[in-house]
Amino acid sequence: DQCFDTIIGIQVSNQSPDGWAGSFELSTDGRATYYPLMCPDCTGITNSMPISVDGDDNSFGGCLNGKNCTITKMPTTLLSTTPPRSNCLLVTTGNDEYNGGPLDVFLDSGSGPALLSNSSITYAPGVVVVDQCFDTIIGIQVSNQSPDGWAGSFELSTDGRATYYPLMCPDCTGITNSMPISVDGDDNSFGGCLNGKNCTITKMPTTLLSTTPPRSNCLLVTTGNDEYNGGPLDVFLDSGSGPALLSNSSITYAPGVVVVDQCFDTI
């Protein structure tokens, strides 16, 4: 999730038999809108997501056998029929030491619920769980079957990450329209989506949303990609109530990892 003065070329590869699959998207207006990219060097379908990048050939098409593949813009004729993805979901783990945990996030963008997160890992405090844009968002559901509860924020942008509004959890126990929201496999959290329940995350009612200004001041802190760039980091930000810790110095951020990607009313 990085911006540049110009982008001349993009290449991807994976030498491991542990295949990767995901999306490549480009914004030419400072993250306001995103268009999907394509992989002309790939085997099989080249202009749809997700794209697989694998060290062997046991994936269903993609950039296979450790090959170096070029990622490019779509042709203008195809791009004109591909609208920008301006509906963006941002799910961020809270910064408290007890906020980290597993989380399942399902999103329906028109083809049924798809899993966006990975419940087999424990998301550390401050870590971004989901930061993706879609043509449309029909529904969002969350759950956690583990007694290791997760807590954090759910925010929606309808203008391609330019501004964000907090979402709410009408299925949750206790307070439903404030952050952080707890998602826990038991009931020892102070309210939230408890006992492994599947909970719906929705927009706030218009009456409540009108009193909740969009958060348009956003800070992005990203670890460099060099192998020696990773390490612990404390990031403090004052949004009006004094300095608050946004990162977690008890963990080592790996190269390329986003440390902070949060929006505020003011900085």
Side-chain angles (χ1 to χ4, degrees):
D1 186 358
Q2 289 184 251
C3 296
F4 305 88
D5 296 329
T6 186
I7 297 177
I8 296 173
I10 304 167
Q11 283 200 322
V12 298
S13 67
N14 179 5
Q15 305 303 313
S16 168
D18 182 12
W20 177 95
S23 61
F24 298 86
E25 295 179 286
L26 176 69
S27 174
T28 57
D29 52 13
R31 294 193 176 98
T33 55
Y34 280 83
Y35 286 93
L37 299 177
M38 64 182 293
C39 178
D41 298 337
C42 285
T43 302
I45 299 173
T46 62
N47 61 358
S48 67
M49 298 294 170
I51 291 174
S52 296
V53 186
D54 203 343
D56 54 29
D57 60 358
N58 63 1
S59 295
F60 185 69
C63 183
L64 307 180
N65 294 312
K67 182 179 177 182
N68 290 322
C69 296
T70 301
I71 302 296
T72 67
K73 295 180 181 179
M74 288 188 176
T76 305
T77 52
L78 185 59
L79 197 57
S80 64
T81 63
T82 307
R85 299 177 177 178
S86 57
N87 297 281
C88 305
L89 174 66
L90 178 63
V91 181
T92 310
T93 312
N95 293 304
D96 188 272
E97 62 178 313
Y98 300 108
N99 288 163
L103 181 68
D104 279 333
V105 180
F106 294 90
L107 184 142
D108 185 355
S109 60
S111 303
L115 182 63
L116 302 185
S117 57
N118 184 354
S119 61
S120 66
I121 66 173
T122 296
Y123 293 100
V127 166
V128 172
V129 179
V130 177
D131 183 3
Q132 286 184 250
C133 297
F134 306 86
D135 297 330
T136 185
I137 296 177
I138 296 173
I140 304 166
Q141 283 201 321
V142 298
S143 67
N144 179 6
Q145 304 303 312
S146 168
D148 181 13
W150 178 95
S153 62
F154 297 85
E155 296 179 286
L156 176 69
S157 173
T158 56
D159 52 14
R161 295 190 175 99
T163 56
Y164 281 88
Y165 286 94
L167 298 176
M168 63 182 294
C169 177
D171 298 336
C172 285
T173 302
I175 299 172
T176 63
N177 61 359
S178 67
M179 299 294 170
I181 292 174
S182 296
V183 187
D184 203 341
D186 53 31
D187 60 357
N188 63 3
S189 294
F190 183 68
C193 183
L194 308 180
N195 294 311
K197 183 179 177 182
N198 290 323
C199 296
T200 300
I201 302 296
T202 66
K203 294 180 182 180
M204 289 188 176
T206 305
T207 52
L208 185 59
L209 197 57
S210 63
T211 63
T212 307
R215 300 175 179 178
S216 55
N217 298 283
C218 304
L219 174 66
L220 177 64
V221 180
T222 309
T223 313
N225 293 306
D226 188 271
E227 62 178 314
Y228 299 108
N229 289 162
L233 180 68
D234 280 334
V235 179
F236 294 89
L237 184 142
D238 186 352
S239 60
S241 303
L245 182 63
L246 302 185
S247 58
N248 183 356
S249 61
S250 67
I251 66 173
T252 297
Y253 294 100
V257 165
V258 173
V259 179
V260 177
D261 185 359
Q262 288 185 252
C263 297
F264 305 87
D265 299 330
T266 185
I267 297 178

